[in-house]
Amino acid sequence: MSGVSSAPTAALPLLLIVDDEIDITDTYSMLLELHGFRVVTALHGADALAKAQQEWPALVISDCMMPVMNGLELCAALRALPGGQSLPVILCSGAPERHDLSQSSHNLFLRKPVFFDRLLEEIQRLLPSSP
């Protein structure tokens, strides 16, 4: 039997991946689903915020630089929602020097490129009950 859980889909943790690069969302989505997570993707922060309000994720992974609403704005908007203060948020960027991260309430910042093993390790650390 493979390492994929046979638990009901609704019982699996929902991760929201936000990035305007479809290759990144598709790759992370496929790999995280293979590791027992449900995944929803969004191409920018406003789309992610709407999806989070439809079904609250267990954790958010977001790029910083995106059109419409960037990752820092998304983090602030999520924190303002009921339950948002406890939502784990991982921000990622290939250009961290372009962002003032001091005012953001994210849980973790990862510099791109983010290798999948590191991302999975950090997800499991932030979600102790993860698969």
Side-chain angles (χ1 to χ4, degrees):
M1 179 174 208
S2 71
V4 177
S5 172
S6 61
T9 303
L12 300 175
L14 178 66
L15 305 182
L16 175 56
I17 302 173
V18 191
D19 200 305
D20 57 333
E21 293 186 42
I22 294 172
D23 290 346
I24 290 175
T25 58
D26 286 352
T27 300
Y28 286 165
S29 181
M30 177 190 65
L31 291 169
L32 290 166
E33 286 172 352
L34 288 172
H35 282 82
F37 294 97
R38 289 186 303 135
V39 178
V40 173
T41 62
L43 295 175
H44 53 73
D47 185 28
L49 188 58
K51 289 181 179 183
Q53 290 173 313
Q54 289 174 359
E55 184 176 7
W56 195 249
L59 182 139
V60 175
I61 303 161
S62 179
D63 186 25
C64 283
M65 294 190 306
M66 298 176 290
V68 184
M69 176 187 280
N70 68 38
L72 298 170
E73 294 165 333
L74 171 61
C75 188
L78 289 168
R79 295 289 187 233
L81 295 173
Q85 289 297 319
S86 62
L87 176 65
V89 176
I90 299 173
L91 292 179
C92 307
S93 179
E97 63 280 353
R98 296 185 67 188
H99 312 289
D100 179 7
L101 299 172
S102 65
Q103 300 301 313
S104 178
S105 58
H106 61 283
N107 297 81
L108 177 68
F109 178 85
L110 296 175
R111 184 177 176 93
K112 286 183 173 182
V114 179
F115 295 101
F116 181 73
D117 290 345
R118 171 79 192 280
L119 181 63
L120 183 61
E121 176 184 302
E122 295 298 347
I123 291 168
Q124 290 170 335
R125 183 180 63 79
L126 291 168
L127 293 178
S129 61
S130 66

